[in-house]
Amino acid sequence: MAAGLSLSRPSAYKAGDFKGAAMAKSATKTVYVLNGPNLNLLGTREPQIYGHSTLKDVEKLCRKTAEMHGLGVEFRQSNHEGMIVDWLQEAGANKAAGVVLNPGGLTHTSVAIHDAMKAISVPVIETHISNIHAREPWRRHSYVSFAAKAIVCGFGINGYALAIDGIAAMSGKKSKR
Ligand code: CA2
């Protein structure tokens, strides 16, 4: 009988026979951190609202936080609505652990981002640096909130780290914290 076809001799399994299964179990899951319009300008204007940190600082914080949870990071920013939609679909197709989404001004206008969030089976954490409820009344409405798993706002850039902590807790990752 050809090796590997015998069901009666489990002792015939060689080391490495289950490598695939073991690797699948321990494969690094990824958190997508998506930033919308104008967030590339973070740290250059309105420090009283958004602080002095740059988007590069936010990326460093996200990488450090994700690493503590054994998660990988895809960190992106775009000024284009359709790009954010494409990236949400990509996160869904790649079965990401979660998405930290700061849609910028699109928060208050975008049905397309709302629909993309509804179309994927990945938790999306709506994240804002400022407290959108303590500003202009029109900022209190978010199309994104209807489809978000959770919302973080008003913690400054630390909100990104809190959102990643939340995703790690949801995905049952053991943390080094
Ligand atoms: O508080 C947040 O994170 C916001 O998502 C930021 C958006 C704003 O439209 C939302 O209502 C709340 C603004 C993104 C642009 O950020 C800049 C920051 C500094 C300098 C220029 C733009």
Side-chain angles (χ1 to χ4, degrees):
M1 189 181 288
L5 284 180
S6 166
L7 295 175
S8 58
R9 292 186 58 221
S11 59
Y13 294 132
K14 298 181 298 298
D17 277 352
F18 297 104
K19 220 165 154 185
M23 275 172 66
K25 217 176 169 191
S26 66
T28 305
K29 284 273 232 170
T30 300
V31 175
Y32 279 64
V33 183
L34 305 181
N35 296 279
N38 297 308
L39 282 157
N40 53 315
L41 299 175
L42 200 62
T44 65
R45 284 196 296 121
E46 301 187 271
Q48 70 286 3
I49 298 173
Y50 299 114
H52 290 280
S53 302
T54 64
L55 199 61
K56 200 74 214 162
D57 296 325
V58 177
E59 179 174 357
K60 275 189 211 147
L61 173 65
C62 289
R63 293 198 183 284
K64 193 182 91 185
T65 309
E67 197 185 321
M68 274 193 293
H69 294 297
L71 292 163
V73 172
E74 278 295 331
F75 191 94
R76 302 186 187 165
Q77 187 276 332
S78 175
N79 292 331
H80 305 280
E81 185 174 17
M83 196 77 253
I84 307 287
V85 169
D86 284 348
W87 289 340
L88 284 166
Q89 290 183 11
E90 180 187 313
N94 289 344
K95 299 192 188 326
V99 176
V100 177
L101 174 62
N102 184 347
L106 294 170
T107 306
H108 318 293
T109 63
S110 181
V111 175
I113 289 178
H114 165 277
D115 291 347
M117 290 165 70
K118 283 289 211 187
I120 63 173
S121 308
V122 166
V124 179
I125 314 302
E126 178 182 352
T127 303
H128 300 284
I129 297 166
S130 65
N131 178 356
I132 56 173
H133 297 283
R135 300 180 62 188
E136 301 94 325
W138 53 265
R139 281 190 208 273
R140 303 195 69 175
H141 179 266
S142 164
Y143 283 94
V144 172
S145 296
F146 286 100
K149 178 79 183 172
I151 305 164
V152 177
C153 79
F155 287 100
I157 70 163
N158 286 329
Y160 285 76
L162 296 173
I164 293 172
D165 286 345
I167 288 169
M170 272 188 267
S171 71
K173 278 275 177 188
K174 277 202 181 131
S175 135
K176 288 183 198 155
R177 271 202 207 277

